[in-house]
Amino acid sequence: AVRLVESGGGSVQAGESLKLSCKASGFTFTRACMGWFRQTPGNEREGIAVVDHNTDAIWYAESVKGRFTISQHWGFTTLYLEMNSLQPGDTAQYYCAAYPFPRYGCEARTDLFPNWGQGTQVTVSS
């Protein structure tokens, strides 16, 4: 079975950085879509960064573009999200997601990703 475990969240001051990790198992990354999503209370879960391993294309939400970087360490099957210049608005529960056998592309939609981690909390204070 697919298993995703996030780590690296925590509380930081505005302007600081954090790097989230997602250890994945139970599937191969060969043609998978992998992404990071986040959610705050009362709001929909939104995609913030997605990588398409069919084309190597990377998508970022406008709110994090230029500040966040998604990457993977293939040897350890780990997905990363480097977050720089964090702002209070980035405070949220962050989730790792996998779409092992995409039928089409890697659109950042929660309904298209069948596998999710438990989430890790990121809190940014001003």
Side-chain angles (χ1 to χ4, degrees), residues 8 26 81 88 107:
L81 182 67
E107 189 174 357

Side-chain angles (χ1 to χ4, degrees), residues 9-84:
S11 298
V12 299
Q13 297 276 20
E16 295 296 319
S17 300
L18 279 176
K19 189 172 185 177
L20 306 182
S21 298
C22 171
K23 294 184 178 180
S25 61
F27 72 105
T28 61
F29 290 86
T30 306
R31 293 187 178 278
C33 298
M34 297 293 295
W36 287 96
F37 294 72
R38 68 185 183 187
Q39 185 173 27
T40 55
N43 296 301
E44 297 287 333
R45 188 171 299 182
E46 62 175 349
I48 55 175
V50 174
V51 57
D52 181 349
H53 293 298
N54 281 308
T55 64
D56 293 322
I58 296 176
W59 172 90
Y60 294 101
E62 287 296 324
S63 59
V64 305
K65 191 175 298 182
R67 298 188 297 120
F68 291 10
T69 302
I70 186 172
S71 63
Q72 287 183 283
H73 188 294
W74 301 110
F76 296 97
T77 61
T78 303
L79 180 72
Y80 300 101
L81 182 67
E82 183 179 358
M83 306 181 293
N84 299 313

Side-chain angles (χ1 to χ4, degrees), residues 2 12 56 94 100 109:
V2 175
V12 299
D56 293 322
Y94 284 72
R109 289 168 49 186

